[in-house]
């Protein structure tokens, strides 16, 4: 049974969250070009390897490894949040 109102609420919540996290870049493509929603500094954070998407577990569930030792002191908290959102979307196939 499909609930169109619940789906609409989830869609609005996604875009409200995305706008809060990405600010003026929220409506740009969510990619790693550095010209989209992720800024060049975010791409640098992603390339650090602090978040790594691993193969699915034995039940087909996605697995993400977070390695805090790879977080550099100059990584901003906002950049860490934006990259977390990005990886979550990649895994969830947003």
């Amino acid at each position: 049974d499909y609930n169109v109102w619940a789906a609409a609420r989830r869609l609005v919540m996604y875009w409200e969250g995305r706008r809060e996290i990405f600010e003026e870049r929220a409506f740009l493509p969510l990619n790693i070009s550095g010209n989209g929603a992720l800024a060049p500094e975010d791409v640098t954070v992603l390339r650090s390897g602090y978040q790594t998407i691993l193969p699915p577990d034995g039940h087909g569930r996605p697995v993400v490894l977070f390695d805090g030792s790879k977080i550099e002191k100059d990584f901003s908290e906002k950049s860490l949040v934006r990259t977390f959102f990005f990886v979550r979307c990649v895994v969830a196939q947003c």
Side-chain angles (χ1 to χ4, degrees):
D1 192 25
Y2 184 72
N3 185 332
V4 69
W5 294 109
R9 277 192 296 278
R10 286 191 302 274
L11 189 59
V12 168
M13 287 174 48
Y14 168 83
W15 282 105
E16 285 176 343
R18 185 166 161 166
R19 189 176 57 192
E20 182 179 333
I21 291 168
F22 292 96
E23 299 169 343
E24 70 279 352
R25 298 175 76 105
F27 300 105
L28 296 173
L30 191 55
N31 59 39
I32 58 170
S33 69
N35 297 316
L38 292 174
E41 72 177 91
D42 303 332
V43 175
T44 300
V45 171
L46 280 173
R47 289 189 175 143
S48 74
Y50 104 90
Q51 295 181 81
T52 303
I53 300 172
L54 300 175
D57 70 8
H59 299 283
R61 297 174 295 204
V63 177
V64 178
L65 171 68
F66 293 90
D67 184 351
S69 71
K70 294 188 177 186
I71 297 175
E72 301 289 331
K73 291 178 184 173
D74 60 337
F75 290 172
S76 72
E77 184 176 330
K78 285 186 174 188
S79 191
L80 293 171
V81 170
R82 288 189 297 260
T83 56
F84 175 80
F85 184 96
F86 174 78
V87 170
R88 182 177 156 266
C89 280
V90 168
V91 169
Q93 300 176 351
C94 292

